[in-house]
Amino acid sequence: MQAAEPVVLSLTAGAMPLAERLAEALGAQHHPRLGPDGFGDVAAHVQGLFQAGTPIIGICASGILIRTLAPVLGDKWAEPPVLAVAEDGSAVVPLLGGHRGANALARQVAEVLDSAAAITTAGDLRLGVALDEPPQGWTLDNPEDAKAAMAALLSGAAARISGTADWLAPLDAERVAGDGPVVLSVEGAAPLIYRQRRFALGVGCARGTAPEAMISHVGAVLADNGIAGGELAEVVSIDVKADEAAVHALAAHYGVPARFFPADVLEAETPRLSAPSDIVFAEVGCHGVAEGAALAAAGPDGALVVEKVKSPMATCALARIGTAPRKGMPRGHLAVVGIGPGAAEWRTPEATRLIREADELVGYGLYLDLLGPLAKGKPRREFALGEEELRCRYALESAGEGRRVALISSGDAGIFAMGALVAELLDRDEDTGGVSAAARRVAVQNAPGISALQAASARAGALLGHDFCAISLSDLLTPRETIIQRLHAAAAGDFVIAFYNPVSRRRRTLLAEARDILLEQRPADTPVLLASNLGRPEEQLRRRTLATLEVDEVDMLTVVLIGASQTRAFQTGDIAAAAEGWQIYTPRGYAKKLADVE
Ligand code: SAH
């Protein structure tokens, strides 16, 4: 799991200067509540960040964070650090996320502010080291034994450290030299075994190799050579394997990243290979994949420690990482994200997380603006309306260069939006208008969102309470005759209908035609809802009937919902909550049941 960068929150004007200063010193983002880019709704924003796993530093009273997060607290092992910092910078209080580095972050913040971290976890406080949280580059074989060792140390038991680990310096223990892992032995507790992640594991395999075959092959090679999984820093291979499931399964198995090198980088390692292969060269353009990748990652003063070992499907080799390691490219990731109609509350935590994790945002400018502080500080590539294909190609190619890209659509990204076009481009090869081979290897993740029709239905009451369909009235991509044919079918089927793209500046006739077709089958007083700018400050809900539906009242930011024969409207008097004081719903057929009860 990648550690997200923290967000500093300021809730008042008075807190903003400190928040700015802290954000800059930590390389974090500052999200102010106030101002044009402000997040406004504290609960929605803070809960959203928390659920997306983002470390939170609030310049506010601890009580505000406690009350806001109480309803969403869950798994203490998974929650991100949450810190409260006094507005005058005099106190830093880690509140949550002790298992995910909250104390370390609090110490870091306190250092920036020249104040004190109010650490309350006993072990950390008194030992000065978190035994279950070794620093980056180290792993603990047996985290389940850390608590007992810490308790024993705290009660004054004798301890001994074999091997060298500077970060264990604060402990009061006897030191002895030792090869291999660093072992902390505390009287009365199981010894803790720490290892340095010092080997790059190079792998190659046939296309479609079963993950289990790869994992068991590597496991056997490590065992034969007395190397522990915790000593692996990364799994590396050639770039054409970036989408090979077995390679990623292997990396996940050891909890390390998978990275990839192009053939020419691997080819440069030929002089250091144990047995350069012309057959491999003919196939992929370098004389050895597993050894070449391990050596490339290890850098010029790294060294091969286990020469390639072959199984029927896979090959692996290990190199000790030197002082100048080379970073391969991660597999690119394209998140196709629906952000809902507009309001931050209508965005899923998954969408928020994917946007936060993205290196680059791609989309129509209006939608990126709707993200407010979430998009702040991220490189963004905007495309105009009408440039959908260009936008999807760009997003795929950019991800193909190893980035995490989020392609942003309003509503649901798979409903009259980018999702299908991304799939369509991936379904072609380069000669038939598809994207490059590198772009086709990216991991694509589609994140659903609330579509305009759901938001409109909910705002009005329950307009989609029974069978419904959605029809786009844009004839840019769909032949007009097809749209007309579907209108007739929907009318005959007595569906509630949601019209997307009801009009544009140039296309204005289809909506009137649709109304007339429907009037042939449905009463003139059939309820109609015009829902515009849902979830945005300009939101407007208007109740009409089929007979009073005027094309000029509708624009491209409106979704039009037409009732079915059973759809009803009733007055509630609650003007704020409904469409001009009306609720509109389509019954599911309970009327008969209710009558039977009477
Ligand atoms: N993917 C989007 C639809 C994009 S098509 C979704 O799932 O909602 C564009 C059309 O969607 C617009 O012409 C309008 O009909 C509708 N739409 C999108 N966002 C809207 C909003 N916030 N309020 C009202 N209609 C909206």
Side-chain angles (χ1 to χ4, degrees), residues 289-372:
V289 170
E291 288 185 6
L295 284 164
D301 63 348
L304 204 57
V305 291
V306 177
E307 290 179 1
K308 71 176 175 205
V309 185
K310 276 186 169 176
S311 76
M313 298 295 275
T315 311
C316 71
L318 285 139
R320 180 178 299 108
I321 297 170
T323 55
R326 181 171 189 147
K327 235 186 179 173
M329 190 181 92
R331 182 186 191 186
H333 184 273
L334 177 63
V336 185
V337 181
I339 60 170
E345 272 188 298
W346 283 351
R347 197 189 302 137
T348 66
E350 180 191 40
T352 301
R353 175 176 58 77
L354 289 168
I355 294 166
R356 178 162 315 294
E357 287 173 359
D359 304 318
E360 182 179 24
L361 305 180
V362 180
Y364 173 49
L366 170 72
Y367 304 152
L368 298 183
D369 291 341
L370 282 172
L371 295 174

Side-chain angles (χ1 to χ4, degrees), residues 177-374:
D179 279 339
V182 169
V183 180
L184 169 63
S185 317
V186 186
E187 218 175 35
L192 301 183
I193 300 161
Y194 296 99
R195 299 177 193 275
Q196 240 171 326
R197 296 194 173 280
R198 54 193 178 133
F199 298 116
L201 172 67
V203 296
C205 67
R207 177 58 69 184
T209 294
E212 310 77 56
M214 172 70 98
I215 290 170
S216 69
H217 174 56
V218 168
V221 171
L222 292 182
D224 286 349
N225 290 278
I227 292 174
E231 291 177 278
L232 300 181
E234 58 186 336
V235 171
V236 283
S237 190
I238 187 167
D239 59 7
V240 295
K241 290 285 157 198
D243 58 348
E244 187 72 54
V247 175
H248 291 283
L250 181 68
H253 179 75
Y254 288 111
V256 295
R259 298 202 182 97
F260 304 89
F261 295 102
D264 59 332
V265 170
L266 301 189
E267 181 58 6
E269 298 296 337
T270 306
R272 298 208 278 172
L273 301 182
S274 65
S277 157
D278 289 337
I279 299 171
V280 174
F281 180 78
E283 230 171 85
V284 295
C286 64
H287 281 82
V289 170
E291 288 185 6
L295 284 164
D301 63 348
L304 204 57
V305 291
V306 177
E307 290 179 1
K308 71 176 175 205
V309 185
K310 276 186 169 176
S311 76
M313 298 295 275
T315 311
C316 71
L318 285 139
R320 180 178 299 108
I321 297 170
T323 55
R326 181 171 189 147
K327 235 186 179 173
M329 190 181 92
R331 182 186 191 186
H333 184 273
L334 177 63
V336 185
V337 181
I339 60 170
E345 272 188 298
W346 283 351
R347 197 189 302 137
T348 66
E350 180 191 40
T352 301
R353 175 176 58 77
L354 289 168
I355 294 166
R356 178 162 315 294
E357 287 173 359
D359 304 318
E360 182 179 24
L361 305 180
V362 180
Y364 173 49
L366 170 72
Y367 304 152
L368 298 183
D369 291 341
L370 282 172
L371 295 174
L374 191 57

Side-chain angles (χ1 to χ4, degrees), residues 8-100:
V8 183
L9 300 173
S10 66
L11 304 188
T12 61
M16 287 172 80
L18 182 71
E20 273 303 328
R21 199 180 117 209
L22 201 51
E24 194 175 324
L26 298 173
Q29 296 184 33
H30 171 205
H31 291 187
R33 180 175 69 87
L34 305 171
D37 279 346
F39 54 81
D41 183 340
V42 176
H45 191 66
V46 177
Q47 290 177 0
L49 290 173
F50 183 80
Q51 285 170 327
T54 309
I56 297 170
I57 303 172
I59 313 294
C60 60
S62 55
I64 294 177
L65 295 174
I66 292 170
R67 283 175 197 289
T68 305
L69 292 176
V72 294
L73 293 184
D75 177 7
K76 70 173 179 174
W77 294 95
E79 70 197 11
V82 177
L83 275 53
V85 176
E87 208 172 290
D88 63 1
S90 61
V92 182
V93 190
L95 297 171
L96 296 167
H99 292 281
R100 300 283 299 276

